[in-house]
Amino acid sequence: MLELADSDELRVEGPIYYDLHVQVATHDVVASGSVSVLMSFCCVRCAKWFSREIREDAFLCSLPFTTDDESVDLTPEIREAIILALSAHPVCSQDCKGLCPQCGRNLNDGKCGCTSQVNDSWSALDGLKLEE
Ligand SMILES: [Zn+2]
Ligand SMILES: [Zn+2]
């Protein structure tokens, strides 16, 4: 299992799938292919958890390899690729409406009664932090 630390914002939900083509050369081993893992994220706009497959189809790494080595550990490389493929600001959907900055209602579930002045997702986030 990759040691992707579960946090308040993301969780690893399943095993890592990889489909790699490995070539052993004289002094190194080159692996290329795709890696994917199912993860869940806390939406930065509405704070709901959602699952998404993180996939890197252009995975490529090369590691030093000698005949003394019995195996190479690709785990750090795969972990790096997954981390790079992660979105820095995960949203459950591109048109997630987020939370109402006034009453905190999830606007994806419908409109609230507030007369919204500005659609300011940052103040919704501030509200979230205050509740913690
Ligand atoms: Zn959302
Ligand atoms: Zn509201």
Side-chain angles (χ1 to χ4, degrees), residues 43 45-46 92 96 108:
C43 175
R45 290 189 203 158
C46 69
C92 61
C96 172
N108 297 308

Side-chain angles (χ1 to χ4, degrees), residues 73-129:
D73 184 13
L74 294 174
T75 312
E77 311 295 325
I78 293 175
R79 181 171 56 216
E80 187 75 22
I82 298 277
I83 291 171
L84 287 175
L86 292 176
S87 157
H89 301 288
V91 283
C92 61
S93 100
Q94 280 311 313
D95 35 59
C96 172
K97 297 182 180 68
L99 302 177
C100 170
Q102 287 165 60
C103 69
R105 187 190 159 108
N106 186 339
L107 296 175
N108 297 308
D109 296 339
K111 278 188 177 166
C112 59
C114 303
T115 42
S116 68
Q117 297 140 346
V118 238
N119 185 4
D120 184 354
S121 52
W122 287 111
S123 51
L125 284 176
D126 288 342
L128 278 178
K129 289 199 178 108

Side-chain angles (χ1 to χ4, degrees), residues 49-79:
W49 284 85
F50 62 98
S51 301
R52 183 163 297 162
E53 183 193 45
I54 299 301
R55 195 179 176 85
E56 174 54 70
D57 285 318
F59 177 76
L60 176 69
C61 77
S62 98
L63 292 172
F65 184 77
T66 69
T67 42
D68 297 334
D69 293 325
E70 292 193 350
S71 63
V72 284
D73 184 13
L74 294 174
T75 312
E77 311 295 325
I78 293 175
R79 181 171 56 216

Side-chain angles (χ1 to χ4, degrees), residues 8-23:
D8 291 346
E9 285 106 36
L10 61 89
R11 281 198 294 257
V12 179
E13 294 292 346
I16 316 285
Y17 294 100
Y18 51 88
D19 181 11
L20 297 178
H21 180 69
V22 178
Q23 286 174 295

